[in-house]
Amino acid sequence: MSRRVLAKVSEVKPGAPKIVTAMGRQIGLFNVGGEYFALANRCPHMGAELCKGWIVGLVQSDAPGEYRVTRPGEFLRCPWHGWEFDIKTGQSWCDPKSVKARNFKVQVEPGSELVKGPYVAETFPVTVEEDYLVIDL
Amino acid sequence: MNVPVRQPVAGQRLMVVDCDIHPAYATPTALYEFLPQRWRDHWSTFGTFFRPPLIGQLPFPRMMAGGMRIDSFPDNGSPPGADLDLMRRQLLDACGVEVGMLIALSRGGMEERNLDFAAALSAAANDWQLHAWCEPEPRLRAAIVVPQEHTEHAVAEIERRSDNASFVQVLMSPRTADPLGNRRYWPIYAAAEAHNKPVALHVAGFSGGHSSTPTGWPTYYLQEHYAQATGMQSTLASLVFEGVFERFPKLKVVLIEGGFAWAPALCWRMDKAWERMRAEVPHLKRPPSEYVREHVWFTTQPIDEPDQPEHLVDIIKWIGWDKIMFSTDYPHWDFDDPAQVFAKLKLTGKEKAALFRENARAVYGLP
């Protein structure tokens, strides 16, 4: 297992995930209300590029005629069949018992720590002025 | 590591015949170059005259991005299904499609009320399929689009196109002015049978003015999506009971995107009623299920998914392993990927080959 520096924190905005390649796999980085999450860019249903889907909330209802939007910005809807996944956990909303998108724990590290190593930046130089998103692979 | 979804080595890949691909027009006026000036003027002045289901509503699935895969929008701004290179990358190459059946739904005149205009549109749509798709991409095959309410033109179009090997079937709407078994449509079946072209019926958003469910207009898209299956059942029952298959013993009918899990139950029910009351339809010489078994093929997408996957295998057994043909419905949102669609089923190599390739090769007489 190695720690990978995937992106600058400033590059990953709410509602605008960044897809990066690390160790040969594509990973989508998400900013949900200032917290950072990472999902494999592959839908567990049929293999679509999951992280290119829409970022949505849930419309929930307790009874016909009553509706509310909950958890806006916390779900990712697959570009093909519209399956929704909880960005924070990878859990499928439509089939939570048996389906889960692969997720990775993301840590925010200051560049001043990272330049000491032993981290591996995939595609860019690390500077002390910025914060970075790091995962273990 | 992620396991690659598809085998990259050509020799090991599953090769498929895709029985439902939707090409789109790159621009709203892409058909103009195939239309006489008289009809270009008509179109630009008066527009087309379909009977849409509900004002302001799209006639097709609209859950995702206007019914499309989000990743199927070409960079050049044309609609999904309009860009051949993207179709090659996302479908033909990515999914190992050896032969792909074009189902050109919109603006081919199938639902146009002005019959002369409908005839011009169908001829133009057939020229366009050759020019924009089949000639540049030999993996693609066209269907002869015919305006079913204009039988004289439909027959002429079948006769004009049949010698071209790019046209492998006849495409008409299943939601016609009258149910499709009606004799007004028989000349089309006679021509299709004479030229050995299966008749393809793809579920249609345009409804010929009829409501899309048997009990009235639906409120939700999910109702309408389901109603495509009941619509296909009505169409099939009409073909059977009117005696179409008795009159045209070599006619083949391919039902596209209407599902198939319902077919055994429909056959049981039709047979039961026929056994007791066959005097009403003395022109039927055999149980209805036998006509279905002999004359009708079904495509897979959107695949029915029972909780116990093996139940789908039972259903295929009841219908016949030789009658089910794989389809993706590219670029629509409910696209089925050949690498995934039957992943939960335990299929033998022979069964897989039948579903993905051999059944379609047999029906369409592919070399």
Side-chain angles (χ1 to χ4, degrees):
Chain A
M1 185 177 284
S2 64
R3 305 209 76 193
R4 297 268 153 181
V5 183
L6 297 185
K8 292 178 191 170
V9 163
S10 59
E11 292 175 311
V12 182
K13 307 273 193 241
K18 181 179 171 68
I19 296 172
V20 299
T21 302
M23 301 277 283
R25 36 183 158 180
Q26 292 194 350
I27 294 173
L29 300 169
F30 296 81
N31 176 339
V32 180
E35 286 184 273
Y36 295 88
F37 303 92
L39 293 173
N41 188 25
R42 180 174 184 281
C43 181
H45 172 222
M46 278 206 184
E49 291 191 74
L50 178 63
C51 298
K52 293 184 178 174
W54 290 342
I55 292 175
V56 298
L58 297 176
V59 179
Q60 293 187 285
S61 171
D62 296 321
E66 295 175 17
Y67 308 99
R68 61 184 192 281
V69 177
T70 60
R71 303 180 62 188
E74 293 186 24
F75 284 83
L76 178 62
R77 183 187 287 171
C78 179
W80 286 6
H81 303 88
W83 286 28
E84 288 151 335
F85 295 88
D86 187 331
I87 293 170
K88 294 182 175 180
T89 63
Q91 202 68 54
S92 158
W93 184 250
C94 75
D95 192 4
K97 279 185 212 149
S98 54
V99 179
K100 191 169 180 295
R102 175 85 165 90
N103 67 333
F104 307 90
K105 190 171 184 305
V106 181
Q107 285 176 317
V108 178
E109 300 278 4
S112 55
E113 287 298 313
L114 294 178
V115 290
K116 298 173 189 167
Y119 305 109
V120 183
E122 286 293 328
T123 53
F124 48 83
V126 173
T127 64
V128 291
E129 291 80 17
E130 297 251 17
D131 288 339
Y132 294 87
L133 298 179
V134 177
I135 66 170
D136 290 319
L137 271 179
Chain B
M1 285 292 290
N2 287 359
V3 178
V5 177
R6 302 178 188 87
Q7 281 293 343
V9 182
Q12 300 173 340
R13 293 186 64 179
L14 174 72
M15 297 305 285
V16 306
V17 178
D18 180 354
C19 291
D20 187 17
I21 301 172
H22 297 296
Y25 300 105
T27 65
T29 56
L31 269 190
Y32 275 29
E33 67 174 293
F34 306 102
L35 282 169
Q37 188 63 44
R38 182 255 181 278
W39 290 115
R40 273 183 251 172
D41 292 345
H42 179 93
W43 194 346
S44 63
T45 308
F46 302 103
T48 51
F49 201 73
F50 298 172
R51 295 180 73 175
L54 296 166
I55 290 170
Q57 292 293 310
L58 294 171
F60 45 78
R62 42 204 166 250
M63 176 175 163
M64 301 285 298
M68 302 297 163
R69 272 173 54 163
I70 295 173
D71 59 357
S72 67
F73 287 79
D75 292 334
N76 61 15
S78 62
D83 187 289
L84 176 56
D85 282 333
L86 186 61
M87 182 188 286
R88 284 179 176 133
R89 283 203 305 280
Q90 287 192 322
L91 177 69
L92 303 178
D93 298 341
C95 295
V97 175
E98 186 177 43
V99 177
M101 303 299 169
L102 296 174
I103 303 295
L105 288 182
S106 62
R107 299 185 186 280
M110 283 191 284
E111 289 91 0
E112 171 59 46
R113 306 286 295 174
N114 176 333
L115 294 186
D116 293 327
F117 188 27
L121 284 173
S122 95
N126 292 329
D127 284 336
W128 169 78
Q129 290 183 81
L130 291 179
H131 176 81
W133 301 96
C134 299
E135 285 163 7
E137 177 46 81
R139 282 174 286 188
L140 295 173
R141 300 288 188 283
I144 307 168
V145 173
V146 298
Q148 63 272 347
E149 310 305 341
H150 190 335
T151 45
E152 192 183 346
H153 172 80
V155 168
E157 195 66 12
I158 293 168
E159 286 173 353
R160 187 156 79 94
R161 305 288 183 176
S162 280
D163 287 344
N164 186 327
S166 285
F167 289 100
V168 294
Q169 59 189 335
V170 174
L171 179 65
M172 54 199 289
S173 171
R175 296 171 80 180
T176 28
D178 279 313
L180 267 176
N182 193 288
R183 287 185 198 190
R184 62 192 288 182
Y185 305 113
W186 286 22
I188 301 174
Y189 306 139
E193 183 190 50
H195 293 278
N196 196 25
K197 304 287 181 200
V199 169
L201 303 174
H202 183 287
V203 296
F206 292 104
S207 60
H210 309 297
S211 80
S212 52
T213 87
T215 49
W217 291 105
T219 304
Y220 299 109
Y221 165 57
L222 295 181
Q223 279 175 283
E224 185 165 306
H225 195 261
Y226 163 72
Q228 305 287 14
T230 52
M232 276 298 193
Q233 294 177 53
S234 306
T235 296
L236 182 53
S238 171
L239 291 169
V240 167
F241 286 120
E242 295 276 8
V244 169
F245 300 123
E246 193 59 48
R247 173 65 184 78
F248 303 104
K250 290 182 180 162
L251 184 66
K252 302 177 198 171
V253 170
V254 181
L255 302 184
I256 302 175
E257 208 178 328
F260 58 81
W262 46 262
L266 174 68
C267 286
W268 298 331
R269 213 171 171 90
M270 289 195 298
D271 281 4
K272 183 177 169 182
W274 176 80
E275 281 161 12
R276 286 153 182 73
M277 296 178 280
R278 67 181 80 176
E280 189 191 17
V281 284
H283 49 278
L284 294 196
K285 306 300 180 200
R286 294 184 287 150
S289 63
E290 288 191 19
Y291 296 108
V292 175
R293 182 73 185 81
E294 207 165 280
H295 293 270
V296 181
W297 283 258
F298 302 87
T299 64
T300 53
Q301 181 282 340
I303 193 72
D304 294 302
E305 295 179 351
D307 291 340
Q308 303 295 323
E310 63 272 20
H311 290 170
L312 189 63
V313 177
D314 290 338
I315 291 167
I316 296 174
K317 248 183 248 168
W318 296 334
I319 296 171
W321 279 102
D322 55 334
K323 311 301 282 195
I324 312 289
M325 308 193 292
F326 174 73
S327 57
T328 65
D329 198 29
Y330 179 89
H332 292 174
W333 75 272
D334 42 357
F335 169 86
D336 278 341
D337 185 326
Q340 302 289 323
V341 65
F342 299 128
K344 290 182 184 167
L345 306 185
K346 294 186 185 74
L347 301 180
T348 65
K350 200 177 161 196
E351 289 163 350
K352 263 190 202 167
L355 294 182
F356 281 114
R357 192 163 181 260
E358 299 308 328
N359 294 343
R361 297 185 75 83
V363 174
Y364 294 112
L366 301 177

